Amino acid sequence: MAINNSSYNEIMREYENIRANNRAAQVRRIEEVYKKIPQMKDLNNSTGSMAVSRYKESLKSGKISMPDLKNDIDKIKKDKEKLLLDAGFPKDYMEISYNCEDCRDTGYIEGKKCHCLQARIRKLLYAQSNLENILNKENFENFSFDYYDNKNILAGQNMTNASYMEGVKKFCERFADKYFKQNRAENDIALDSGEENDRKNIIFSGNTGVGKTYLSNCIAKVALDRYYSVIYLSAKELFEVLVKVKMEKSEEQKYLLLLDGIYESDMLIIDDLGTELSNHFTTTEFFHIINRRINNEKSTIISTNLSLDEMRDIYSERVTSRIRKSFIYIRLFGNDIRARL
Ligand SMILES: [Zn+2]
């Protein structure tokens, strides 16, 4: 789903409202003009009657004179404009106005989504993502290596943490570019399925504050800017939604929409896995989510302080073996960089 049908229909209803409001405003302006310039009404109606009389003439004479008709209309238009200006109105006061001149508030130009519709879709996707404000700050452009150690060699990596992070960042940029292709709004293509065993899921593992959430936000921004749907939830929030809907049978719209996003969004970010209270229900549901998203080729990004072994102890072997097969595992190093901000 880029956006679901009901969201799309809602946007289309907004366009209808815009058009209806603009038509109503035009009618009000015309009535205002008629009050101030009574002869305008006759003049306004005369364009139609002029066309009819010219048409009748042409039937009689056997030839249609388009130039005559055009001259008539131009003259009436000029007369009207003069009347308006003399009475202190702008000359286009009786014309309909559009919020978007390009698509005349239809959302489409020759069957393609107008920039105004694309902007509305993007705004909606951002609002649904739970990331609306943070992505202005946390994105690939703003990514800084200053917070990572560039002196000491990382054990087992043969490079400093700053160089290591450069590689990680590059990898994430390529990942985002590959799985969230341009111009989604134009042709509504599905996530590129690519070759078999192509892993479109990432698990960031490492201490608190080493950049796991930041990197997933960077990828999320690329996806959202290309009109893919993204949902961000902390593990705690994710399981809260599941408990509300599945155990407590809540029918609250907020939870139903989030559950839909958990299963269907093009990209799901589960932040801080392992910090939630887990029990048999949550671990079973977690497996179903991961499994269903992998089967439907939806991208999932998990960040966690846990190692894979620790994950196995909490969520069972079944979960970790699914993750091992379908996720790219990225280990991040270092201490909490936020302490140095
Ligand atoms: Zn438009």
Side-chain angles (χ1 to χ4, degrees), residues 6-262:
S6 69
S7 303
Y8 177 80
N9 292 338
E10 201 176 303
I11 291 178
M12 284 299 124
R13 272 198 300 279
E14 280 174 31
Y15 276 107
E16 272 170 35
N17 286 338
I18 291 170
R19 294 197 299 271
N21 286 337
N22 286 338
R23 270 197 304 273
Q26 182 194 22
V27 168
R28 278 197 302 276
R29 288 195 303 274
I30 290 174
E31 277 166 4
E32 187 191 344
V33 170
Y34 286 173
K35 256 187 214 152
K36 208 165 170 186
I37 318 172
Q39 70 267 42
M40 182 65 87
K41 195 168 187 174
D42 297 333
L43 204 53
N44 219 10
N45 294 332
S46 64
T47 316
S49 52
M50 186 74 70
V52 171
S53 64
R54 284 286 181 194
Y55 179 66
K56 280 182 183 159
E57 262 173 46
S58 71
L59 285 182
K60 255 187 255 163
S61 66
K63 52 178 196 252
I64 300 170
S65 175
M66 289 310 281
D68 283 351
L69 182 57
K70 194 178 170 300
N71 286 340
D72 292 343
I73 292 171
D74 283 350
K75 188 179 177 308
I76 293 171
K77 196 174 163 220
K78 287 220 175 71
D79 291 348
K80 280 161 67 175
E81 283 176 5
K82 189 172 181 316
L83 279 172
L84 284 168
L85 289 170
D86 288 348
F89 295 109
K91 65 177 185 179
D92 60 355
Y93 198 62
M94 301 200 303
E95 306 292 324
I96 192 160
S97 61
Y98 298 103
N99 294 16
C100 175
E101 295 279 350
D102 297 333
C103 67
R104 300 184 156 206
D105 300 328
T106 61
Y108 286 88
I109 303 170
E110 291 171 358
K112 284 199 165 171
K113 291 189 179 80
C114 179
H115 56 85
C116 69
L117 176 56
Q118 297 201 12
R120 274 169 195 273
I121 292 175
R122 174 145 43 188
K123 199 164 165 242
L124 189 80
L125 289 170
Y126 264 80
Q128 287 173 349
S129 72
N130 297 331
L131 292 167
E132 211 168 3
N133 300 317
I134 192 127
L135 296 188
N136 291 327
K137 287 177 235 134
E138 303 200 348
N139 51 58
F140 283 128
E141 285 73 34
N142 291 349
F143 193 97
S144 169
F145 299 104
D146 296 349
Y147 305 113
Y148 298 97
D149 184 352
N150 62 359
K151 293 196 179 69
N152 303 303
I153 300 296
L154 271 180
Q157 296 296 331
N158 215 11
M159 60 178 94
T160 65
N161 200 15
S163 318
Y164 178 81
M165 286 307 289
E166 249 174 77
V168 169
K169 186 202 167 200
K170 266 192 202 123
F171 176 86
C172 290
E173 282 176 310
R174 280 203 306 275
F175 176 92
D177 213 43
K178 181 173 178 190
Y179 292 119
F180 302 102
K181 290 201 188 302
Q182 283 284 15
N183 296 328
R184 170 65 181 266
E186 291 300 323
N187 40 25
D188 282 344
I189 43 160
L191 251 189
D192 185 14
S193 63
E195 63 246 47
E196 218 177 314
N197 283 328
D198 209 4
R199 299 179 184 198
K200 50 180 69 72
N201 311 296
I202 295 180
I203 180 157
F204 290 112
S205 168
N207 292 335
T208 302
V210 291
K212 304 188 296 288
T213 309
Y214 196 111
L215 280 166
S216 56
N217 285 346
C218 292
I219 299 170
K221 183 163 195 307
V222 173
L224 282 165
D225 285 345
R226 296 175 178 182
Y227 305 100
Y228 291 86
S229 56
V230 177
I231 304 282
Y232 167 96
L233 291 169
S234 69
K236 210 168 145 243
E237 290 165 328
L238 176 99
F239 291 117
E240 191 184 291
V241 172
L242 293 167
V243 167
K244 286 279 180 200
V245 179
K246 300 212 161 184
M247 286 181 98
E248 298 172 8
K249 306 286 174 208
S250 165
E251 289 184 6
E252 229 180 291
Q253 196 63 7
K254 173 181 125 186
Y255 294 117
L256 295 177
L257 280 173
L258 280 172
L259 187 71
D260 185 56
I262 288 169

Side-chain angles (χ1 to χ4, degrees), residues 279-297:
N279 53 40
H280 180 67
F281 171 78
T282 58
T283 55
T284 312
E285 287 298 327
F286 182 59
F287 176 76
H288 284 310
I289 291 166
I290 296 298
N291 201 37
R292 185 162 156 181
R293 292 187 60 84
I294 292 169
N295 291 341
N296 292 335
E297 300 189 342

Side-chain angles (χ1 to χ4, degrees), residues 266-278:
D266 295 316
M267 175 177 166
L268 170 69
I269 300 174
I270 306 174
D271 202 12
D272 261 340
L273 187 74
T275 54
E276 76 288 348
L277 287 173
S278 63

